[in-house]
């Protein structure tokens, strides 16, 4: 099914809204505890539990409006459901914090496997949206492999050595901004590989 065009601002809200909602919920509930089903949960656990359905609703709306979800979105949603569930089940915020490490780490591993095979899985995922020569895809894939690996290591360092408040802020704003800047730099430096126009027919 072809992807339908929707308002870019609405798309951004649906994609980023759940993460912002989690941040707001945590900041409001971080000092409180809640008794649910005879078990006491702190504000972080409750905010993490609320994040899962909010994300699923946002993705359902996005799918309804566009008729399509990316493989990355589906993969991320599955991990959020699994680790969000483990966080509530064991009443342990560690699982939700480790989710970010696993997401970035698996991205790095999958891209790395493709590189070892002489292929760019990134081109397979994003090729239709961003036409680029194969050499460019290989360079971008190699750089993103290192970038995702660095983010995975950074997340482990942050949640193991810093406060929950610091992790939530870095997870919500720090990592996405760092990834956005990194990708922007890559697009600029790899501009010569972009296939902006079809080659003229002979």
């Amino acid at each position: 099914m072809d992807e339908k065009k929707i308002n870019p601002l609405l798309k951004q809200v649906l994609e980023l809204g759940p993460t912002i909602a989690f941040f707001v919920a945590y900041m409001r509930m971080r000092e409180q505890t809640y008794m649910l089903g005879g078990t006491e949960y702190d504000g972080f656990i409750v905010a993490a539990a609320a994040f899962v359905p909010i994300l699923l609703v946002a993705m359902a709306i996005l799918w309804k409006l566009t008729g399509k979800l990316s493989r990355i979105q589906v993969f991320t949603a599955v991990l959020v459901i699994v680790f969000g569930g483990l966080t509530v089940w064991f009443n342990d915020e560690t699982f939700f914090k480790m989710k970010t490490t696993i997401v970035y780490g698996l991205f790095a591993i999958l891209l790395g496997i493709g590189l070892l095979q002489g292929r760019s899985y990134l081109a397979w995922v994003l090729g239709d949206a961003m036409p680029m020569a194969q050499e460019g895809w290989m360079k971008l894939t190699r750089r993103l492999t290192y970038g995702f690996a660095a983010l995975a290591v950074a997340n482990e360092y942050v949640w193991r050595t810093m406060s929950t408040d610091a992790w939530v802020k870095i997870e919500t704003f720090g990592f996405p901004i760092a990834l956005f800047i990194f990708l922007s730099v890559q697009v600029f430096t790899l501009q010569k590989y972009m296939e902006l126009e079809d080659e003229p027919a002979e």
Side-chain angles (χ1 to χ4, degrees):
M1 181 183 297
D2 292 334
E3 184 175 359
K4 303 171 186 175
K5 299 298 182 181
I6 64 171
N7 186 298
L9 179 59
L10 175 59
K11 186 176 182 182
Q12 286 294 308
V13 170
L14 292 172
E15 291 178 343
L16 303 178
T19 301
I20 301 300
F22 166 74
F23 174 77
V24 173
Y26 168 75
M27 296 304 290
R28 288 181 174 273
M29 299 188 296
R30 58 182 171 172
E31 304 293 342
Q32 304 177 43
T33 57
Y34 302 84
M35 186 66 68
L36 302 170
T39 302
E40 188 176 87
Y41 299 94
D42 64 27
F44 181 96
I45 303 295
V46 176
F51 175 72
V52 177
I54 292 173
L55 176 67
L56 294 180
V57 169
M59 289 186 65
I61 295 173
L62 189 61
W63 177 78
K64 180 68 175 178
L65 293 176
T66 66
K68 184 178 181 180
L69 291 174
S70 71
R71 297 177 181 91
I72 293 176
Q73 289 172 317
V74 174
F75 171 74
T76 302
V78 170
L79 288 183
V80 167
I81 293 170
V82 171
F83 284 92
L86 290 173
T87 297
V88 176
W89 182 264
F90 290 103
N91 198 9
D92 186 348
E93 64 186 35
T94 299
F95 291 101
F96 201 74
K97 292 176 177 178
M98 288 178 61
K99 163 189 63 66
T100 302
T101 300
I102 292 173
V103 169
Y104 289 140
L106 283 178
F107 285 166
I109 291 171
L110 290 174
L111 293 178
I113 291 173
L115 288 172
L116 292 175
Q117 297 173 338
R119 302 169 59 187
S120 171
Y121 291 154
L122 198 63
W124 177 62
V125 175
L126 300 175
D128 291 339
M130 190 172 69
M132 184 163 58
Q134 180 64 17
E135 184 181 354
W137 279 118
M138 294 302 292
K139 288 186 176 183
L140 179 59
T141 301
R142 189 174 297 106
R143 294 173 187 178
L144 269 182
T145 299
Y146 297 143
F148 282 132
L151 287 173
V153 172
N155 185 67
E156 283 296 294
Y157 175 80
V158 170
W159 81 260
R160 290 178 185 274
T161 63
M162 300 184 186
S163 67
T164 295
D165 273 12
W167 179 84
V168 170
K169 293 171 183 176
I170 293 172
E171 162 74 4
T172 304
F173 302 106
F175 290 147
I177 290 174
L179 186 57
F180 175 79
I181 293 174
F182 179 79
L183 288 173
S184 298
V185 171
Q186 302 316 309
V187 170
F188 178 76
T189 58
L190 297 173
Q191 195 67 39
K192 65 179 181 179
Y193 298 104
M194 298 294 180
E195 298 175 349
L196 300 179
E197 298 179 353
D198 293 333
E199 292 293 331
E202 293 184 0

